[in-house]
Amino acid sequence: MNIALIHHRLARSGGLETRLINYIHAFSGKGFGVTVICANQDYSVSIPESVHVVRLSVGFVPKKFRRYAFEQRVSRFMETHRFDFSLSLERTSSQDAVLAPSNHLGFLRAMNRKGNHFSDRMEIGMDRRAYENSRTIFAASSMVREELIDLYHTPPSKIHVLYPPLDEATFNTNLRPRRAELRSQQGMDPEKLSFAFVSTSHRRKGLPLLLEVFDQLRSEPFELIVAGKGSKPSGFPENVKLAGYMREPQALYTAADFTIHPARYEPFGQVVSESLACGTPVIISGKTGAGEILSPSDGLIIEGFNPEEWVSAIRSLPQRNFSPDPGFIARNKLSVSDHVDQILALAHT
């Protein structure tokens, strides 16, 4: 079987880019012919020699229009090329199946935004064409599935929930014997419960709420470690520490007592599965899609965004016990191998 994988960037720079690389190795490892269709390629990324890369450059198109330009170039390319199965990680409109890691109308609704700008209309249009023209849609969670049905009127029969895969070689409990050492390296106070907040979009992921919460907890034995990219609000409480961007956050997950994620809109939230794979329980908002696969031993889900509710939950933690299930990855089929097998099972439905 000849498979086309479509994404604007072949590089190691984000979650979907990492997933593309995993797909390349997984599909080619099963003996399939793999063609990658992209706009940009980082030639330092190692891929099997058998993999063919087609680069469809968008030239000097302004940044906000590059995804749209790439969609148009992919459409023209697919008119003259045939594959047994094509999967897009991008909102393109000429493939058999498309990933839906999020959607713009769901984002606008969650953030209470009207979406009247031209860029919003362009994003929504790309969503609609991707969902309408694909035979199969892989939604990142049941939350996303319901949004596609409700907001885009997508036929339910087209949508299959497929959780983002997890790299078991990276996120596991192997570092736990070094936990005391890692806590020291991260500058964590041994007398406090330490909470890890890992994000590249601080406002949407809930950092303003956490700053208010930890300000109320500043004289109590709790501290917050903030890691990742994002703007830095002023006035950090003394019990909040900045760790910067981490390429390998597994050490922080392992060192922390909890990973906390009060996102206002999070279609899945791989920080949740990564943390649990490292053996660290989570506290998340009810707007986090990964909440649907949590068991009571994995952590807490807090439905609202009232700071007092979060303060109360954190204060209760010293009297509670959580123990993430070691079989979490297998139970939810989150390994790359299981994930790819699910795609193949649905490739021709």
Side-chain angles (χ1 to χ4, degrees), residues 124-339:
I124 294 165
M126 291 175 65
D127 279 347
R128 290 193 189 283
R129 290 190 295 276
Y131 305 147
E132 290 173 358
N133 294 340
S134 297
R135 187 174 65 240
T136 302
I137 302 167
F138 294 119
S141 64
S142 295
M143 183 177 88
V144 174
R145 183 179 188 274
E146 294 308 310
E147 288 174 346
L148 301 191
I149 294 169
D150 182 31
L151 301 175
Y152 292 88
H153 309 296
T154 305
S157 59
K158 294 177 64 170
I159 311 170
H160 302 273
V161 175
L162 181 70
Y163 301 124
L166 190 70
D167 181 1
E168 294 177 280
T170 299
F171 300 102
N172 51 57
T173 58
N174 292 349
L175 290 175
R176 294 202 78 78
R178 296 176 50 207
R179 189 162 180 265
E181 173 193 347
L182 295 174
R183 286 183 64 84
S184 177
Q185 289 177 1
Q186 298 291 338
M188 294 178 176
D189 189 328
E191 303 300 320
K192 294 183 177 182
L193 282 183
S194 301
F195 296 78
F197 175 77
V198 180
S199 159
T200 56
S201 180
H202 289 346
R203 180 175 176 273
R204 177 169 63 87
K205 303 298 177 73
L207 182 57
L209 171 64
L210 287 182
L211 295 182
E212 189 173 347
V213 167
F214 277 84
D215 186 51
Q216 293 188 43
L217 296 168
R218 60 188 177 278
S219 61
E220 300 179 50
F222 307 105
E223 65 179 359
L224 177 68
I225 314 299
V226 178
K229 297 177 180 178
S231 59
K232 302 175 183 178
S234 60
F236 269 56
E238 291 182 1
N239 57 348
V240 177
K241 302 175 182 178
L242 291 176
Y245 178 69
M246 292 185 176
R247 285 190 173 275
E248 299 179 345
Q250 59 269 32
L252 177 61
Y253 291 134
T254 302
D257 295 292
F258 294 89
T259 293
I260 191 164
H261 197 69
R264 292 191 172 274
Y265 181 66
E266 183 66 275
F268 182 76
Q270 285 189 260
V271 297
V272 176
S273 55
E274 291 169 356
S275 177
L276 292 173
C278 292
T280 300
V282 298
I283 303 175
I284 65 175
S285 75
K287 294 295 185 180
T288 302
E292 66 196 54
I293 60 176
L294 260 61
S295 69
S297 64
D298 292 330
L300 290 177
I301 301 174
I302 302 176
E303 293 297 334
F305 296 97
N306 184 329
E308 297 297 337
E309 188 176 3
W310 287 79
V311 168
S312 177
I314 290 172
R315 284 175 173 157
S316 75
L317 294 176
Q319 288 75 49
R320 307 181 70 160
N321 291 311
F322 296 96
S323 180
D325 179 6
F328 172 79
I329 296 175
R331 184 180 79 226
N332 295 291
K333 298 183 178 180
L334 298 181
S335 71
V336 173
S337 176
D338 282 341
H339 179 93

Side-chain angles (χ1 to χ4, degrees), residues 29-174:
K30 290 179 179 293
F32 299 127
V34 176
T35 296
V36 178
I37 303 169
C38 63
N40 300 297
Q41 180 182 5
D42 179 349
Y43 292 96
S44 70
V45 174
S46 177
I47 59 175
E49 290 185 3
S50 61
V51 173
H52 179 50
V53 178
V54 175
R55 186 166 175 265
L56 304 177
S57 174
V58 298
F60 297 101
V61 173
K63 185 176 182 179
K64 68 168 59 177
F65 300 113
R66 287 175 190 168
R67 300 291 180 87
Y68 175 79
F70 179 62
E71 177 196 3
Q72 302 305 304
R73 283 159 175 72
V74 170
S75 293
R76 290 195 289 272
F77 178 83
M78 296 298 280
E79 286 176 358
T80 57
H81 295 78
R82 294 290 178 266
F83 299 91
D84 297 310
F85 177 64
S86 54
L87 170 65
S88 183
L89 291 72
E90 189 80 24
R91 290 167 303 169
T92 52
S93 52
S94 304
Q95 62 279 325
D96 297 311
V98 66
L99 297 186
S102 63
N103 64 89
H104 200 63
L105 285 176
F107 164 76
L108 292 172
R109 183 170 69 177
M111 302 302 290
N112 292 316
R113 284 174 45 181
K114 293 183 179 180
N116 293 330
H117 294 97
F118 174 78
S119 59
D120 292 314
R121 295 194 295 272
M122 183 175 66
E123 297 280 343
I124 294 165
M126 291 175 65
D127 279 347
R128 290 193 189 283
R129 290 190 295 276
Y131 305 147
E132 290 173 358
N133 294 340
S134 297
R135 187 174 65 240
T136 302
I137 302 167
F138 294 119
S141 64
S142 295
M143 183 177 88
V144 174
R145 183 179 188 274
E146 294 308 310
E147 288 174 346
L148 301 191
I149 294 169
D150 182 31
L151 301 175
Y152 292 88
H153 309 296
T154 305
S157 59
K158 294 177 64 170
I159 311 170
H160 302 273
V161 175
L162 181 70
Y163 301 124
L166 190 70
D167 181 1
E168 294 177 280
T170 299
F171 300 102
N172 51 57
T173 58
N174 292 349

